[in-house]
């Protein structure tokens, strides 16, 4: 497919990055992204917050600041009470307020299946855009949220998750990546993305595919929601994790010492996951401390390698 070109389009359809970026002047570019999905938690107010945090995340992953948003709503008005929609939108609105984002409009359609999300516009200096590329050998990778939400959500749907873990994962998914984005601003960060539907390895793969670099992941360092390990061992692994594995397994060498449940978690699709920050090795520890001081369960989970090019090695 051929997409329209424009000299001011910095990140477009062919880049497959977190969001599109269009330069307005030498000092300012706009970031645009859109995301919406069906409910992943029962509580409509929390679903609204999670959907908004998830939609805003791609702006943070580009190193930008979200400014305006529009609601996207699909709602089964004949079968569902309108008060549910009000709670969803209130959740989204409260999350936007927290992010200092102003709601400027939106659109709703009648649909059999409820869906909610946002289209978001953010600002960034054109020289400070963080793509998935531009890695340097020895860079460290920092993950800012624990993974395993897809597996936990599968357990919730199966009625097997405890109230405690439901609450934990709901709050985790509703947490903005804003603090992480603000903290990394002061550091020599070379690349950034956020962990969403393709799972940790899927998003790491996007960083190294067709590049001159490889990435080594240290499985024991990766923050994982502990209940996800138990649920994965019980086979509560969403179909998306198998799809993600099939899609990228040719690029990945996983040591046989990595437990099968952990392997499943590395491919587990995340909702509103954390940022994956690729930072100069000398600054990695300082950045990690700053993230932890902000209350994040962050960790240095791997490094950029010169070999094997275009591949991921998991130990
Ligand atoms: Co993204
Ligand atoms: Co997205
Ligand atoms: Co990025």
């Amino acid at each position: 497919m051929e997409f329209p070109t424009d000299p001011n389009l910095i990140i477009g359809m062919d880049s497959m990055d977190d969001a599109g970026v269009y330069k307005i002047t030498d000092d300012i570019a706009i970031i645009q992204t859109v995301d919406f999905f069906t409910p992943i938690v029962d509580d409509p107010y929390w679903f609204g917050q999670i959907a908004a945090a998830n939609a805003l995340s791609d702006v943070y992953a580009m190193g930008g600041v979200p400014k305006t948003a529009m609601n996207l709503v699909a709602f089964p008005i004949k079968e569902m009470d309108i008060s549910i929609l009000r709670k969803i939108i209130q959740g989204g609105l409260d999350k936007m307020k927290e992010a200092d984002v102003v709601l400027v409009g939106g659109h709703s359609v009648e649909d059999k299946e409820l869906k909610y999300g946002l289209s978001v516009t953010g600002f960034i200096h054109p020289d400070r855009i963080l793509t998935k590329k531009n890695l340097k050998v020895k860079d460290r990778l920092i993950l800012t949220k624990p993974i395993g939400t897809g597996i936990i959500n599968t357990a919730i749907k199966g009625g097997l998750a405890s109230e405690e873990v439901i609450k934990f994962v709901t709050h985790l998914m509703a947490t903005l990546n804003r603090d992480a984005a603000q903290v990394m601003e002061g550091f020599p960060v070379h690349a950034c993305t956020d962990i969403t539907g393709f799972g940790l390895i899927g998003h790491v793969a996007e960083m190294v595919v067709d590049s001159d670099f490889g990435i080594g992941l240290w499985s024991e360092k990766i923050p994982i929601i502990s209940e996800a390990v138990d649920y994965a061992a019980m086979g509560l692994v969403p179909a998306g994790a198998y799809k993600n594995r099939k899609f990228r397994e040719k690029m990945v060498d996983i040591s046989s010492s990595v437990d099968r449940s952990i392997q499943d978690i590395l491919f587990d699709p995340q909702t509103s996951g954390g940022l994956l920050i690729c930072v100069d090795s000398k600054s990695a520890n300082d950045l990690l401390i700053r993230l932890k001081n902000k209350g994040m369960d962050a960790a240095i989970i791997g490094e950029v390698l010169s070999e094997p090019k275009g591949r991921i090695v998991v130990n």
Side-chain angles (χ1 to χ4, degrees), residues 4 15 64 66 80 83 87 101 104 107 117 119 123 135 172 174 179 185 232 253 255 257 271 297 311:
S15 309
M80 217 177 259
S83 67
K87 285 179 191 148
V101 166
V104 295
H107 187 72
S119 86
F123 293 163
L135 314 183
L172 183 70
D179 285 358
E185 239 180 74
D253 303 305
S255 160
S257 65
T271 300
D297 183 7
R311 298 190 66 78

Side-chain angles (χ1 to χ4, degrees), residues 17-19 33 35 54 57-59 61-62 132 193-196 203 206:
D17 220 295
D18 291 297
T33 180
D35 220 328
N54 180 72
S57 177
D58 278 325
V59 174
M62 301 306 289
K132 295 174 183 175
T193 189
D194 58 341
I195 306 304
T196 52
H203 291 281
E206 290 174 341

Side-chain angles (χ1 to χ4, degrees), residues 152-166 231 236:
I152 303 279
N153 288 332
T154 306
I156 294 174
K157 281 189 196 117
L160 292 156
S162 67
E163 280 305 315
E164 207 183 349
V165 72
I166 293 173
Y231 297 146
L236 294 167

Side-chain angles (χ1 to χ4, degrees), residues 36 71-77 85 106-115:
F36 61 104
N71 280 334
L72 288 150
V73 177
F75 194 73
I77 188 72
L85 181 57
H107 187 72
S108 52
V109 293
E110 194 186 333
D111 194 351
K112 279 195 193 66
E113 202 174 21
L114 167 59
K115 299 174 194 82

Side-chain angles (χ1 to χ4, degrees), residues 199-210:
L200 176 64
I201 288 197
H203 291 281
V204 169
E206 290 174 341
M207 285 182 154
V208 294
V209 70
D210 301 325

